[in-house]
Amino acid sequence: MNEFELIDRIVARLGDVTHGRGVVVGPGDDAAVLDTPSGHQLVVSTDTLVAGRHYPDGSCADAIGYRSLAVATSDLAAMGAKPAFATVSLTAESLTADWAERYASGLARAAAGFGIAIVGGNIARGAESITVTVHGHAPNGAAITRAGAQHGDRVYVTGFLGGAGLALGDENIAEWSLTLAPEGRPGTRKDDSPLGRYWMPQPRLELGIALRGIASAAIDISDGLSSDLDHLCRASGVSCEVDLNDVPLYPGATAMDAIASGDDYELVFAAPPETKGAVEAIALRHGVITPVAILRNDAHPGATWFQDGIPVEVRPGYRHF
């Protein structure tokens, strides 16, 4: 089967998620043609997942499909952007129709849940990897960056950390399939086990949009809180002190492991103290939000860590190089 026949099989399996609002020309042409709402700015992010590094070799194709779109979409959540479109590039030494169709099934399930149209992509021969580019939009000037936090802002973390990290030690991680997570409301994960959290991250899209005009800075926790909070502090030119006892933990996770393991795709954000009530209201609608620190001006920006008031050394999160 040649690449064009494979593409046709993938597009057929994607079904309804290849078109939608704003899609003028979707898969099948040299490029997609897309509309964006008037008065909005385009927000774009790209993620590459490499087999054996970002997911285990031999993993189930449908789980890889879901995860590949979810982890890219989390960057839009951190920016307070509404997701709209995505392109997907598959590279593999050999690509069977069965594997490609199962991958497309997982991709389509994620796209339907996140409100994303898959508008194009590419297939090439090489070491197995997947590159996903997501496109979203936010009202002019409303996108949340890493660089806006100020002295006195509070730092908050969404959800619970460390669950996906526990999955990395599970010998059955490569055997997990979406068939183990029955269909529920689109964009939800019914399997809240560590493996379910690893393979089906749920980007905080609605929460990120709710933070527009409230959060002064935000970043998604993809590489681990220890690294990602440090990125936010350095981008904003501020520092903070975090006690490990204040980190919200998934049951069974230790604070030291949870802040470094990554793959949670929660958000860490800063907000001025006068927005405390607004943040609490958002938590009532969108889930647990935990305050963990207060920012201050510092000639040496970054995060420092304590436990019971005693300074501790923590592991950095995931590093690509």
Side-chain angles (χ1 to χ4, degrees):
M1 181 174 292
N2 65 44
E3 65 177 289
F4 301 107
E5 292 172 316
L6 275 173
I7 291 171
D8 287 342
R9 297 279 286 267
I10 291 171
V11 172
R13 183 59 66 92
L14 289 173
D16 290 343
V17 300
T18 60
H19 55 270
R21 186 174 183 179
V23 181
V24 180
V25 178
D29 219 306
D30 284 343
V33 180
L34 311 169
D35 284 334
T36 54
S38 175
H40 285 63
Q41 294 171 312
L42 193 63
V43 182
V44 181
S45 182
T46 298
D47 260 302
T48 296
L49 302 183
V50 179
R53 182 169 296 276
H54 300 109
Y55 61 87
D57 285 318
S59 294
C60 295
D62 60 350
I64 298 170
Y66 195 105
R67 177 173 166 79
S68 63
L69 184 61
V71 301
T73 304
S74 183
D75 288 328
L76 298 184
M79 303 288 287
K82 180 178 177 61
F85 318 112
T87 58
V88 181
S89 294
L90 297 175
T91 303
E93 293 293 351
S94 62
L95 189 60
T96 65
D98 177 65
W99 193 97
E101 289 182 333
R102 286 187 288 118
Y103 173 85
S105 294
L107 182 69
R109 183 165 169 181
F114 305 150
I116 290 176
I118 307 299
V119 298
N122 187 61
I123 291 176
R125 184 181 297 275
E128 184 180 322
S129 68
I130 299 157
T131 297
V132 177
T133 299
V134 288
H135 305 71
H137 47 75
N140 291 342
I144 307 166
T145 71
R146 305 176 183 182
Q150 302 288 327
H151 175 85
D153 287 357
R154 290 187 172 92
V155 177
Y156 298 89
V157 172
T158 69
F160 299 96
L161 307 186
L166 292 175
L168 298 175
D170 192 316
E171 63 182 10
N172 298 313
I173 186 171
E175 299 172 11
W176 196 92
S177 167
L178 295 191
T179 59
L180 301 175
E183 293 278 3
R185 183 173 63 85
T188 62
R189 176 190 54 234
K190 296 188 76 174
D191 181 354
D192 197 45
S193 69
L195 289 175
R197 283 178 164 250
Y198 178 84
W199 285 115
M200 294 185 74
Q202 297 302 304
R204 293 290 195 162
L205 294 166
E206 294 181 358
L207 194 154
I209 290 171
L211 288 174
R212 292 175 186 165
I214 295 172
S216 55
I219 186 173
D220 82 319
I221 305 173
S222 56
D223 294 331
L225 182 64
S226 58
S227 287
D228 291 322
L229 177 55
D230 206 58
H231 295 327
L232 185 151
C233 287
R234 292 176 185 278
S236 294
V238 292
S239 67
C240 67
E241 298 178 350
V242 184
D243 196 298
L244 291 174
N245 295 330
D246 295 329
V247 175
L249 299 177
Y250 179 86
T254 67
M256 278 289 195
D257 288 339
I259 65 170
S261 59
D263 286 314
D264 286 307
Y265 299 98
E266 295 288 350
L267 302 182
V268 57
F269 67 93
E274 62 268 23
T275 65
K276 178 182 177 183
V279 172
E280 291 173 347
I282 291 172
L284 290 175
R285 298 195 302 274
H286 299 291
V288 173
I289 298 176
T290 304
V292 295
I294 296 177
L295 298 175
R296 65 175 187 272
N297 291 328
D298 197 313
H300 303 286
T304 54
W305 298 84
F306 294 79
Q307 189 155 40
D308 299 320
I310 300 172
V312 293
E313 291 291 328
V314 300
R315 299 198 324 269
Y318 183 82
R319 290 178 175 175
H320 295 272
F321 296 98

